[in-house]
């Protein structure tokens, strides 16, 4: 082979990685090769169906304690821009892909995904039959798994994973929350080619950081919130002493039952200040109202989940990342006169979507609570609104990082709730979903710069 041919081959080929093994606690084995840091990690196996946004997925703090499988076969094609990351460091335990790209092509790329993962010590494997793996998890449910590049003995790894800790009952939010209160006003300059600057601050908001994604905080800033971020277990009295116009409860990882330090505080905040919760924040509001939470068989993770807004009849395509869900009937008995005359609860909440009714229950602690959103894939609860106090929450991610922008209106709804408007959720989502996008109207700035600086932090 000529020198030119060898050079061309080196440019389009990648060296084979070391052997790697993924073993699930039920004995399923998947072989591949290492494509990032070497090591051995344990966590709950899960999968994400997003077609793009792999960096936002990998850096989402909600994945603490988990080994992520990406269902899209080619990952890393457009490299990494650090300002797209949702946290300073990835919180996931490991990554499984079909094919990892080592030579990305994109004008915003700063480095390759494998180099980024190695930089942060993330163990990853490629060459796995991810279709077979995802089918197995869908059939047999989420479970403990071990990913190793240092031990490739199946029996040894199976014994280890069966002795490993489950994420159930573990407070993972505490591991990814901030250490101290800090202000947040950061809007990445490298996003200015597509997204306009935020509105002038007009609402003081305190955000509980249970593992908040940076894009969620950025959306609050863009909506006009003067934002102070506090740790997951900040006492309600300390929050109220800041005299906020509203309180935001962030997304976060793991079992909500274990995050008692947050939902006990939320119970003291509800009715005293407007409250908005997303994902784990939705579960914190539900727990504060005395609801039960159930673990889903394999969770909702991806950017294509259809959710019906029962108030409008509109269907939103949503981004989701959670493994637990609110049991809506546990909030209280139905109020028939506000629920289409129906007196009994339905386990499959798609009943209410078919009936075009947003049912209302009578809660012992906070009065009437309305079911506002339902997942059309499996009939689980996706949103609730309190009718006698200013509070609402959704299970999915309206910040669209990654994912569709159908649910962007919820940030606007929060500002309207703080304005005291009873019609805060009555928003044309088709118009709102495009709000703030410039689509190239502004010239892109140099990647790495920021519009402002976060004070304090992790």
């Amino acid at each position: 082979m000529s020198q030119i041919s060898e050079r061309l081959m080196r440019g389009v080929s990648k060296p084979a990685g070391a052997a790697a093994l993924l073993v699930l606690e039920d004995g399923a084995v998947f072989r591949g090769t290492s494509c990032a840091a070497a090591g051995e990690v344990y966590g709950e196996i899960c999968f994400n169906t997003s077609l793009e946004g792999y960096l936002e997925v990998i850096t989402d703090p909600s994945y603490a304690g988990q080994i992520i499988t990406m269902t899209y076969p080619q990952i890393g094609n457009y490299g990494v821009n650090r300002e797209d990351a949702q946290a300073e460091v990835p919180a996931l335990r490991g990554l499984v892909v079909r094919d990892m790209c080592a030579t990305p092509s994109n004008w915003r790329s700063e480095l390759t995904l494998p180099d980024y993962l190695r930089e942060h010590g993330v163990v990853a494997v490629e060459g796995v039959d991810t279709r077979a793996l995802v089918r197995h998890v869908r059939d047999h449910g989420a479970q403990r798994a071990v990913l190793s590049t240092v031990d490739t003995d199946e029996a040894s790894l199976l014994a280890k994973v069966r002795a490993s800790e489950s994420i159930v009952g573990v407070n993972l939010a505490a591991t990814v929350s901030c250490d101290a209160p800090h202000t947040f006003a950061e809007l990445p300059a490298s996003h200015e080619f597509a997204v306009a600057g935020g509105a002038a601050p007009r609402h003081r908001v305190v955000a509980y950081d249970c593992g908040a994604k940076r894009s969620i905080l950025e959306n609050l800033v863009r909506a006009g919130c003067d934002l102070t971020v506090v740790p997951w277990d900040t006492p309600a009295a300390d929050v109220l002493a800041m005299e906020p116009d509203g309180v935001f409860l962030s997304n976060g990882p793991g079992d909500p039952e274990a995050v008692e330090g947050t939902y006990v505080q939320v119970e003291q905040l509800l009715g005293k200040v407007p409250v908005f919760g997303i994902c784990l924040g939705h579960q914190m509001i539900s727990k504060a109202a005395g609801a039960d939470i159930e673990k889903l068989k394999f969770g909702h993770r991806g950017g294509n989940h259809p959710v019906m807004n029962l108030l409008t009849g509109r269907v939103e395509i949503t981004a989701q990342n959670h493994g637990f869900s609110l049991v809506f009937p546990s909030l209280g008995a139905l109020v028939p006169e506000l629920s289409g005359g129906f007196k009994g609860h339905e386990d499959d909440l798609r009943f209410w979507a078919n009936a075009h009714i947003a049912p209302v229950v009578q809660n012992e602690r906070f009065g009437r609570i309305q079911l506002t959103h339902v997942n059309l894939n499996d009939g689980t609860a996706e949103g609730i609104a309190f009718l006698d106090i200013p509070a609402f929450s959704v299970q999915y991610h309206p910040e669209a990082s990654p994912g569709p922008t159908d649910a962007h209106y919820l940030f606007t709804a929060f500002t309207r709730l703080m304005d005291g408007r009873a019609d805060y959720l009555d928003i044309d989502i088709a118009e709102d979903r495009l709000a703030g996008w410039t689509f190239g109207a502004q010239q892109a700035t140099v990647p790495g710069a920021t519009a402002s600086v976060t004070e304090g932090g992790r």
Side-chain angles (χ1 to χ4, degrees):
M1 183 181 293
S2 69
Q3 292 182 349
I4 294 178
S5 297
E6 290 178 355
R7 189 161 59 250
L8 287 173
M9 288 298 294
R10 286 196 299 270
V12 298
S13 303
K14 57 184 177 183
L21 206 60
L22 174 71
V23 178
L24 278 53
E25 67 174 290
D26 66 1
V29 177
F30 299 88
R31 293 189 175 274
T33 57
S34 174
C35 57
E40 186 170 292
V41 292
Y42 300 82
E44 182 180 80
I45 190 71
C46 66
F47 61 88
N48 186 291
T49 60
S50 296
L51 302 184
E52 48 75 37
Y54 51 79
L55 181 63
E56 290 89 339
V57 171
I58 291 167
T59 56
D60 182 349
S62 294
Y63 280 110
Q66 294 179 312
I67 297 173
I68 307 173
T69 303
M70 300 300 295
T71 63
Y72 189 74
Q74 293 182 313
I75 301 298
N77 290 8
Y78 52 86
V80 168
N81 182 294
R82 296 181 192 276
E83 286 197 336
D84 295 343
Q86 298 302 301
E88 293 182 5
V89 296
L92 78 167
R93 297 281 174 82
L95 179 67
V96 181
V97 302
R98 177 61 178 171
D99 180 48
M100 178 70 80
C101 177
T103 55
S105 176
N106 187 274
W107 66 274
R108 297 181 67 242
S109 178
E110 298 177 27
L111 72 165
T112 70
L113 181 58
D115 285 343
Y116 178 81
L117 295 173
R118 292 187 191 99
E119 181 180 292
H120 293 286
V122 177
V123 178
V125 57
E126 67 174 328
V128 172
D129 185 345
T130 51
R131 291 178 300 179
L133 173 55
V134 169
R135 285 179 180 272
H136 187 87
V137 175
R138 285 178 63 91
D139 290 342
H140 301 281
Q143 54 190 287
R144 293 171 295 174
V146 56
L147 177 60
S148 180
T149 67
V150 296
D151 182 355
T152 56
D153 180 84
E154 296 179 14
S156 170
L157 291 177
L158 181 58
K160 291 178 183 178
V161 72
R162 288 178 174 173
S164 66
E165 183 181 45
S166 168
I167 69 168
V168 176
V170 177
N171 183 359
L172 291 170
T175 69
V176 291
S177 181
C178 60
D179 296 324
H182 63 278
T183 60
F184 184 97
E186 184 175 4
L187 298 178
S190 68
H191 292 182
E192 290 178 3
F193 77 98
V195 187
R202 63 187 185 91
H203 293 295
R204 287 184 296 179
V205 172
V206 174
Y208 273 84
D209 179 6
C210 296
K213 294 178 69 175
R214 185 169 294 164
S215 289
I216 291 179
L217 301 181
E218 290 169 3
N219 271 273
L220 289 168
V221 171
R222 293 186 191 279
C225 297
D226 181 359
L227 201 60
T228 299
V229 182
V230 299
W232 68 281
D233 58 350
T234 301
D238 292 355
V239 171
L240 293 174
M242 299 179 191
E243 299 183 345
D245 299 313
V247 172
F248 172 74
L249 308 173
S250 84
N251 65 293
D255 186 353
E257 298 283 354
V259 196
E260 184 177 3
T262 300
Y263 65 76
V264 167
Q265 307 308 322
V266 174
E267 186 175 359
Q268 300 174 49
L269 292 169
L270 288 171
K272 298 177 182 177
V273 63
V275 178
F276 173 37
I278 288 176
C279 202
L280 182 64
H282 163 73
Q283 296 162 3
M284 293 296 95
I285 287 180
S286 301
K287 287 290 298 176
D292 295 332
I293 304 293
E294 63 180 349
K295 194 175 192 306
L296 299 173
K297 183 177 180 180
F298 49 79
H300 300 159
R301 299 178 180 90
N304 58 352
H305 291 255
V307 168
M308 177 174 280
N309 182 328
L310 298 177
L311 303 178
T312 65
R314 298 287 293 268
V315 175
E316 306 162 23
I317 304 303
T318 68
Q320 307 212 3
N321 176 16
H322 59 273
F324 295 82
S325 179
L326 160 68
V327 181
F328 178 69
S330 66
L331 281 171
L334 281 178
V335 181
E337 58 270 25
L338 298 177
S339 305
F342 292 96
K343 299 179 180 179
H345 277 292
E346 299 288 335
D347 292 332
D348 188 335
L349 300 180
R350 285 173 292 190
F351 170 87
W352 301 110
N354 292 329
H356 304 288
I357 294 171
V360 176
V361 300
Q362 185 67 38
N363 182 259
E364 292 182 356
R365 300 180 183 179
F366 299 107
R368 298 169 301 162
I369 301 177
Q370 187 170 44
L371 178 68
T372 57
H373 298 78
V374 169
N375 189 300
L376 296 182
N377 280 340
D378 62 5
T380 53
E382 292 282 0
I384 56 174
F386 291 67
L387 302 185
D388 298 317
I389 61 172
F392 76 111
S393 61
V394 293
Q395 182 63 77
Y396 50 99
H397 284 227
E399 85 290 345
S401 291
T405 59
D406 295 26
H408 178 271
Y409 73 96
L410 293 165
F411 294 104
T412 305
F414 183 37
T415 64
R416 289 165 54 137
L417 179 67
M418 289 187 286
D419 287 335
R421 294 180 57 168
D423 64 343
Y424 66 95
L425 282 172
D426 185 12
I427 296 173
D428 182 349
I429 67 173
E431 179 179 346
D432 188 89
R433 70 187 295 270
L434 298 177
W437 290 94
T438 61
F439 299 103
Q442 302 180 38
Q443 185 172 351
T445 57
V446 177
T450 53
S452 57
V453 179
T454 303
E455 299 174 13
R458 291 190 178 92

